């Protein structure tokens, strides 16, 4: 005999399972940087003595190198002259390849040899790695950087409240020490970063004001 209540109960269970499976299947993987093509991030930077400036970052597009590597080209604008940075995202990593500065009609390119791993994608607390190489432009500069994911942290910036991974970078450039701390948000990117001088004093703090992603 047809049991209508039992049929409706079974039907509802199947629907809920399918909805749950679809939600699980469509959950995007963790990704921290760079995101996505057409995305725009607006930051406010403040120096230790109170001077303020703006930074806008945009992922302009993808470029393919002769070896088949896909690079993300980002435009970075401080309000007077844009500069460009290229990144690759091989499995589980984010690597920086080169930078291009334009000023007064002149271009200056910095190439990183070897490409620099700036982030594990996704990062995990306690992870460490080291990059040692050269910035090659008019002159060649020796650089060494030590990275450590020191943990997770909830932070608040003008763009809102975010759960982040906190990354510390300690290094030397042409023999001069420096330190940088970056907070990354999943599926957003850099939320905040601080730069310290060779004495360990804070130089600048940069915080996300807003971000805009293109529709899917």
């Amino acid at each position: 005999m047809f049991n209508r209540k039992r049929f409706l109960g079974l039907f509802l269970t199947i629907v809920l399972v399918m909805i749950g499976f679809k939600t699980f299947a469509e959950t995007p993987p963790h990704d921290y940087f760079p995101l996505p093509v057409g995305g725009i991030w607006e930051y406010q930077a403040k120096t230790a003595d109170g001077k303020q400036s703006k930074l806008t970052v945009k992922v302009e597009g993808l470029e393919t190198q002769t070896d088949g590597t896909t690079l993300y080209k980002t435009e970075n604008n401080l309000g007077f002259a844009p500069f460009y940075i290229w990144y690759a995202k091989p499995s589980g990593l984010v690597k920086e390849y080169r930078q291009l500065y334009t000023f007064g009609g002149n271009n200056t390119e910095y190439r990183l040899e070897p490409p620099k791993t700036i982030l594990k994608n996704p990062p995990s607390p306690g992870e460490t790695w080291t990059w040692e190489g050269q910035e090659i432009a008019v002159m060649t500069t020796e650089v060494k950087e030590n990275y450590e994911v020191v943990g997770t942290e909830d932070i608040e910036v003008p763009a809102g409240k975010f759960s982040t991974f906190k990354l510390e970078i300690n290094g030397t450039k042409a023999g001069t020490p420096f330190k940088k701390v970056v907070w990354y948000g999943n599926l957003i990117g850099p939320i905040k970063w601080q730069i310290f001088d060779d004495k360990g004093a804070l130089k600048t703090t940069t915080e996300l004001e807003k971000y805009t992603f293109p529709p899917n």
Side-chain angles (χ1 to χ4, degrees), residues 172-199:
T172 57
K173 184 172 183 178
T176 301
F178 66 89
K179 177 180 177 180
K180 184 176 181 180
V181 183
V182 188
W183 289 259
Y184 285 95
N186 183 34
L187 300 177
I188 300 172
I191 305 295
K192 174 182 175 179
W193 62 88
Q194 293 181 318
I195 298 175
F196 300 80
D197 66 16
D198 59 341
K199 302 294 192 300

Side-chain angles (χ1 to χ4, degrees), residues 10-180:
L10 179 61
F11 177 75
L12 180 59
T13 299
I14 293 172
V15 169
L16 290 174
V17 169
M18 291 180 67
I19 291 174
F21 176 77
K22 184 180 181 196
T23 301
F24 174 78
E26 291 182 351
T27 300
H30 287 253
D31 196 358
Y32 287 81
F33 185 75
L35 299 156
V37 173
I40 299 173
W41 296 257
E42 296 180 32
Y43 296 93
Q44 177 177 294
K46 180 184 289 187
T47 62
D49 58 1
K51 296 178 182 177
Q52 297 188 12
S53 59
K54 301 286 187 179
L55 169 66
T56 300
V57 179
K58 180 179 180 180
V59 180
E60 283 200 338
L62 303 177
E63 298 181 0
T64 302
Q65 296 200 128
T66 55
D67 64 0
T69 302
T70 297
L71 299 182
Y72 289 72
K73 180 183 179 182
T74 66
E75 180 188 80
N76 306 261
N77 200 323
L78 290 165
F80 53 88
F83 61 98
Y84 302 88
I85 306 177
W86 284 262
Y87 304 93
K89 293 171 69 175
S91 179
L93 300 173
V94 179
K95 290 179 175 284
E96 182 180 332
Y97 272 65
R98 65 182 188 272
Q99 302 178 11
L100 178 67
Y101 293 82
T102 61
F103 188 76
N106 298 315
N107 293 337
T108 302
E109 182 176 75
Y110 291 81
R111 191 174 75 256
L112 299 175
E113 293 290 350
K116 177 168 61 176
T117 297
I118 65 168
L119 187 65
K120 299 293 182 73
N121 203 17
S124 297
E127 278 189 314
T128 62
W129 68 94
T130 297
W131 177 80
E132 188 169 0
Q134 299 176 325
E135 288 185 359
I136 301 173
V138 177
M139 298 178 63
T140 297
T141 304
E142 301 291 335
V143 186
K144 183 176 181 179
E145 298 180 354
N146 298 304
Y147 293 76
E148 181 180 3
V149 183
V150 296
T152 59
E153 187 174 328
D154 294 334
I155 65 171
E156 185 172 1
V157 296
K161 296 180 179 179
F162 300 90
S163 296
T164 69
F165 277 98
K166 184 179 179 181
L167 179 67
E168 289 190 0
I169 305 108
N170 289 278
T172 57
K173 184 172 183 178
T176 301
F178 66 89
K179 177 180 177 180
K180 184 176 181 180

